[in-house]
Amino acid sequence: MAAPNIETIVSLAKRRGFVFPSSDIYGGLGSAWDYGSLGTELCNNVKQEWWRWMVHERDDMEGIDSSIILNRQVWKYSGHEETFSDPLVDCRECNSRFRYDKLLDEHPPVSAALHSLMRPPDVIRDFPCPNCGKSNWTEPRDFNLMFRTTLGAAAEEDDPTALAYLRPETAQGIFINFLNIQTTMRRKLPFGIAQIGKSFRNEVTPGNFIFRTREFEQMEMEYFVKPGEDERVHQEWIDLCFDWYKSLGLSADNLRLYEQPVKELAHYAKRTVDIHYRFFPERAEDERQWDELMGIANRTDFDLRAHSKKPEDAEGKRLNPDSTEDLSYFDEATKERFYPFVIEPAAGVNRSVLAFLMDAYTERTTDKNETRVVLKLHSSLAPIKAAVLPLAKNKPEIVHLAKSIKCSLQPSLRAVYDDTGGIGKLYARQDEIGTPFCVTVDHQSLEDEAVTVRDRDTWEQERVKVADLREHLQKRLNEK
Ligand code: GAP
């Protein structure tokens, strides 16, 4: 079947309680979303899988949970105050605002050489406004994406000493704690520090459901290595991250690696490779069907050097009189002191959730020619692992047995009990939310102490003894 587009997923997500438009009863808040019961479980499962894979299963990793609001100097020396901005233009006719670089993407130049000689306002002079169709643009100007706030009750809005930002990436909280973690956990290079948490960006053009929002969650890891080992380790992390997404069910056909051209690189990066997902399959054969799922950057020693008290910089450019620490590393073996290089796999929780939902979406036709949605989520991501369903809800013995089976499964796997419809409807509901197994309790169960286990993906059924059920389900979940 054709891949679903984002609209299909928006509709499923709302109908089945994964994601709702935020503040809906007050007319919503552009591109803000609330995660419902199933969406929360799905997000938690994605984060849990990432943490297990990134931190618990490795010997060279530590975790951290740093503040969202940091000292403003962090964003000064990281370069975000100066460079974390998008170029904006306004349409003078309808006052709509657009990203200048996105307008350029929509109108590939007839002659790149000619464009490079023109002033930015002249390049877009004849572009029609996507909103009103007229061509009357302002000069492009930079708009910083960091959310500003003021600290303390007495702070005035424009008091620069009270100005603070909501973090636009979790990474900086890791860099400023590099020494704390390295010394308290007695780490030697190479090692990494991982963090999951919210980030905030005042995006000019949020949209496409949970793909681009102003508040989102990141899963980031900074891996510290000796200079000179960075290129090899970078490539290793690119391959590991690509395989992680595949191991959780994303089809290789919907994934690709994208080497960022030099002109796209962030100010700190030596090389960045993005993992792209086919988020927009309806733009078939078009480069724009792909977009970023995560990025894996070689950040060099930029950040540790930038945050260090008086770093050794031959040109004196990144001299930092505000920091009290030197974040360099002393190698006991070689007796050398240096700033480690950093490899950074940075993923979005929300974009990952969107990709997992899109990839899992399938439709299947029943014997009665009805179309059913079957969400073939990887078993470790599925919000509910097993649904226990009584075949006759007016028979107390069956209901009692079903409820006690649900309770017995609960400590080891997420199970629910549901008797709010006929069995066909209950199966359809669980298929649509990606529950790998349904367990049906019927009249015969009272006699043979067995239940029917139905597989979401094949719709095949098998009879399993109640006494063996937990082990059986756990084994089958591990295989899925
Ligand atoms: N520390 C590096 C960094 O933040 P990034 O490419 O800007 O790199 C990493 O962000 C990931 O965070 C992206 O690949 C994407 O998955 C997610 N992300 C970034 N901005 C986002 C937004 N506005 N909405 C949702 N996810 C976003």
Side-chain angles (χ1 to χ4, degrees), residues 90-280:
D90 290 314
C91 169
R92 287 200 182 97
E93 302 293 331
C94 68
N95 294 327
S96 301
R97 185 164 284 177
F98 299 95
R99 269 177 62 175
Y100 174 77
D101 55 330
K102 292 288 168 196
L103 280 180
L104 291 186
D105 288 348
E106 301 287 320
H107 300 270
V110 182
S111 158
L114 190 61
H115 263 192
S116 67
L117 294 174
M118 289 160 84
R119 279 179 357 100
D122 296 333
V123 173
I124 60 164
R125 196 178 51 209
D126 298 327
F127 290 2
C129 166
N131 188 44
C132 70
K134 303 202 176 115
S135 306
N136 188 3
W137 299 105
T138 60
E139 293 252 345
R141 69 199 142 75
D142 283 337
F143 170 74
N144 195 292
L145 298 185
M146 284 195 290
F147 270 102
R148 296 155 74 99
T149 187
T150 40
L151 297 182
E156 295 293 330
E157 275 289 303
D158 52 359
D159 177 356
T161 60
L163 174 63
Y165 303 105
L166 303 188
R167 69 180 174 201
E169 62 170 11
T170 61
Q172 296 302 324
I174 296 179
F175 297 129
I176 58 173
N177 279 290
F178 168 71
L179 270 193
N180 287 338
I181 299 281
Q182 192 248 320
T183 51
T184 54
M185 304 315 285
R186 300 171 306 282
R187 281 291 180 181
K188 290 193 168 32
L189 296 188
F191 75 96
I193 306 177
Q195 165 151 245
I196 299 178
K198 290 244 172 161
S199 291
F200 303 82
R201 296 181 190 177
N202 201 0
E203 298 281 2
V204 180
T205 44
N208 287 315
F209 189 38
I210 53 175
F211 178 81
R212 179 170 288 109
T213 48
R214 296 192 171 110
E215 172 184 344
F216 55 98
E217 221 169 348
Q218 291 187 305
M219 307 182 283
E220 297 200 287
M221 190 279 286
E222 311 301 324
Y223 198 74
F224 302 94
V225 297
K226 281 188 189 171
E229 291 177 4
D230 53 306
E231 292 181 10
R232 173 183 56 79
V233 176
H234 188 198
Q235 191 55 48
E236 284 170 8
W237 276 107
I238 294 166
D239 298 339
L240 283 171
C241 292
F242 198 82
D243 287 347
W244 183 73
Y245 279 111
K246 280 200 295 181
S247 77
L248 286 174
L250 292 194
S251 152
D253 290 344
N254 291 330
L255 289 168
R256 74 169 191 186
L257 292 176
Y258 172 78
E259 182 85 35
Q260 282 192 10
V262 174
K263 71 176 170 53
E264 272 179 36
L265 289 177
H267 60 278
Y268 49 72
K270 169 172 165 186
R271 178 186 176 217
T272 299
V273 174
D274 292 337
I275 297 181
H276 275 189
Y277 183 75
R278 202 192 297 269
F279 282 109
F280 307 101

Side-chain angles (χ1 to χ4, degrees), residues 71-83 172 176 267-268 299 302-311 317-323:
N71 187 310
R72 187 181 157 195
Q73 303 294 353
V74 172
W75 307 109
K76 174 179 168 184
Y77 288 101
S78 68
H80 283 78
E81 273 197 336
E82 202 176 321
T83 61
Q172 296 302 324
I176 58 173
H267 60 278
Y268 49 72
R299 289 183 82 125
F302 177 89
D303 301 271
L304 291 182
R305 234 179 225 286
H307 289 305
S308 286
K309 171 183 165 186
K310 297 185 186 145
K317 265 188 192 155
R318 291 191 216 132
L319 206 66
N320 185 335
D322 296 312
S323 167

